[in-house]
Amino acid sequence: MHLEEHISSKTDGIKPQEIDWVLTVPAIWSDTAKQFMREAANNGGIPNSRLILALEPEAASIYCKNLLVDRTISSGGRSTLAAFAAGTKYLILDAGDGTTDITVQEIKPDGYIKQIFIVRGDWGGVKVDQAFDEFMLDIVGMETMDKFRNENKAEYLSLCREFEVKRRGIRPDSTAKITLRIPLVLSEQFHGVKGVSLKDSTKSSKSMEWVGDKLRIDPDIFKDFFSKSCRQITHHLNSIFQEPAVVDTDIILMVGDFSETKMLQAAIKSAYHKKLVIIPEEPGLAVLKGAVQFGFNPKIINPRISRFTYGISTIKRSLPHIDPENNKKTGQ
């Protein structure tokens, strides 16, 4: 494998059999999906003896549980260390770019972590990307946009990457216009389809203006790209907090790439200002760092009860005068 080859080329002190591998998987995955991941790892050269599967929300909570107070951002004055005291329930909002996993866990008196509730939805950062896509469609039209995507993939990806950078930087209190470089080929294709220049078609808009090949967009439009995703997440959180097992949970732990955006952070803090919102310094790396810690101490997670049990033998109640006496067994 690549990592083992790289390590071997750098040092002779570490042998492949001394390396344990931790693969993170979504908590909502079925046993079949987890088994597929395990077999894929085996085929890739990782034996079961050196393989550990870690659930992503559990890995994130392990990382945040060990954080120092001054390395977190909280919405209240409570200590982060106290927030993870024994008996405490907390909700993990693992907001990724694709999906959002919401898990509620509890710290047991022995320090182990117990999972109480879990749900997954497609309310991640992809919704923001879709909103931007719809914005561009309104400007250039479906025909131009399809032509641009299909014939100029590199330029299209460049536009998506630039939007990703701007998306991470926008804040609820931003007042400056957001500047995006629009690929020249997109303007040319628009002219070829519509017969007019892209700049002329948008010059009447008060929310946009052109400076060379750059489109400057009103910050309120940019903020609105987040509204659907943030609204969906808070809506589902509201229903989760009404669950009997979750109703007394007053801590929200935000992790995942989408949790790095100031817009989502502000939406959660505003909707749940009476709860303690904890955000690690690098929310997008919380699962990765927690997985490393889990690899050193897998027993920190409370043992789970299997969804299914399998019997290997049976015994029935003895019937007097019917069943042979020599087959009778007396329980201790």
Side-chain angles (χ1 to χ4, degrees):
M1 294 180 290
H2 294 301
L3 178 62
E4 292 179 351
E5 293 174 357
H6 178 74
I7 292 175
S8 298
S9 67
K10 298 297 182 180
T11 179
D12 295 329
I14 302 177
K15 298 180 175 59
Q17 58 269 24
E18 296 175 334
I19 301 175
D20 288 333
W21 296 80
V22 181
L23 296 181
T24 60
V25 297
I28 204 168
W29 269 19
S30 65
D31 291 335
T32 302
K34 295 173 187 175
Q35 181 62 25
F36 177 84
M37 177 65 79
R38 184 175 291 277
E39 292 178 4
N42 295 159
N43 292 335
I46 304 175
N48 280 327
S49 60
R50 294 193 284 122
L51 175 63
I52 302 173
L53 294 186
L55 302 185
E56 291 172 356
E58 291 180 347
S61 65
I62 291 170
Y63 170 66
C64 294
K65 182 174 179 288
N66 295 319
L67 282 176
L68 297 176
V69 176
D70 60 357
R71 295 195 61 189
T72 62
I73 308 169
S74 64
S75 60
R78 295 172 53 185
S79 165
T80 302
L81 293 179
F84 289 95
T88 301
K89 293 181 182 178
Y90 54 93
L91 181 144
I92 302 174
L93 177 63
D94 185 359
D97 283 330
T99 60
T100 296
D101 293 333
I102 302 174
T103 309
V104 179
Q105 297 178 344
E106 181 181 5
I107 303 294
K108 305 300 290 181
D110 54 11
Y112 287 169
I113 299 172
K114 179 183 178 181
Q115 185 170 287
I116 299 175
F117 187 90
I118 182 170
V119 67
R120 160 178 272 200
D122 58 344
W123 324 303
V126 68
K127 295 294 184 182
V128 183
D129 298 336
Q130 291 173 357
F132 175 67
D133 234 25
E134 293 170 1
F135 170 76
M136 292 300 300
L137 282 174
D138 288 341
I139 295 177
V140 304
M142 180 67 76
E143 184 179 352
T144 302
M145 202 63 190
D146 285 344
K147 187 179 180 67
F148 177 58
R149 288 196 195 105
N150 296 329
E151 298 180 6
N152 307 94
K153 291 182 173 59
E155 290 287 353
Y156 174 68
L157 290 175
S158 177
L159 177 61
C160 292
R161 283 193 294 267
E162 183 165 359
F163 171 73
E164 172 70 17
V165 173
K166 303 296 184 180
R167 188 189 79 171
R168 290 177 179 270
I170 189 73
R171 305 174 63 94
D173 57 354
S174 296
T175 56
K177 289 191 174 184
I178 312 300
T179 302
L180 290 176
R181 187 191 72 82
I182 303 300
L184 177 61
V185 66
L186 177 58
S187 299
E188 293 174 345
Q189 288 172 338
F190 178 86
H191 187 274
V193 172
K194 301 291 186 180
V196 296
S197 71
L198 183 56
K199 291 182 180 179
D200 288 342
S201 70
T202 57
K203 64 181 180 181
S204 61
S205 174
K206 296 181 180 180
S207 59
M208 296 179 289
E209 64 178 10
W210 287 87
V211 178
D213 63 342
K214 296 180 176 60
L215 181 63
R216 303 186 72 231
I217 306 171
D218 191 278
D220 289 336
I221 292 180
F222 223 82
K223 295 173 191 176
D224 194 52
F225 294 155
F226 292 81
S227 60
K228 182 176 182 180
S229 180
C230 292
R231 185 169 59 249
Q232 288 179 324
I233 290 175
T234 53
H235 171 75
H236 283 87
L237 284 177
N238 288 338
S239 62
I240 290 172
F241 280 124
Q242 295 176 13
E243 293 286 336
V246 184
V247 69
D248 57 343
T249 304
D250 61 356
I251 299 172
I252 300 176
L253 177 61
M254 295 183 65
V255 299
D257 291 332
F258 192 36
S259 288
E260 294 187 358
T261 62
K262 300 300 181 183
M263 295 297 297
L264 179 60
Q265 292 179 10
I268 297 300
K269 290 181 179 180
S270 174
Y272 306 103
H273 58 277
K274 293 184 179 180
K275 298 184 183 294
L276 175 64
V277 179
I278 300 175
I279 309 171
E281 188 175 339
E282 297 178 305
L285 296 178
V287 172
L288 172 64
K289 293 181 178 181
V292 174
Q293 296 173 353
F294 178 69
F296 282 104
N297 183 19
K299 294 183 179 180
I300 193 172
I301 300 298
N302 205 44
R304 306 178 190 91
I305 299 175
S306 176
R307 298 178 186 176
F308 305 99
T309 57
Y310 303 88
I312 59 173
S313 63
T314 60
I315 191 168
K316 64 180 181 179
R317 185 177 297 278
S318 176
L319 299 177
H321 311 298
I322 296 178
D323 294 322
E325 288 294 321
N326 59 340
N327 288 343
K328 184 184 297 185
K329 294 183 179 180
T330 303
Q332 299 297 323

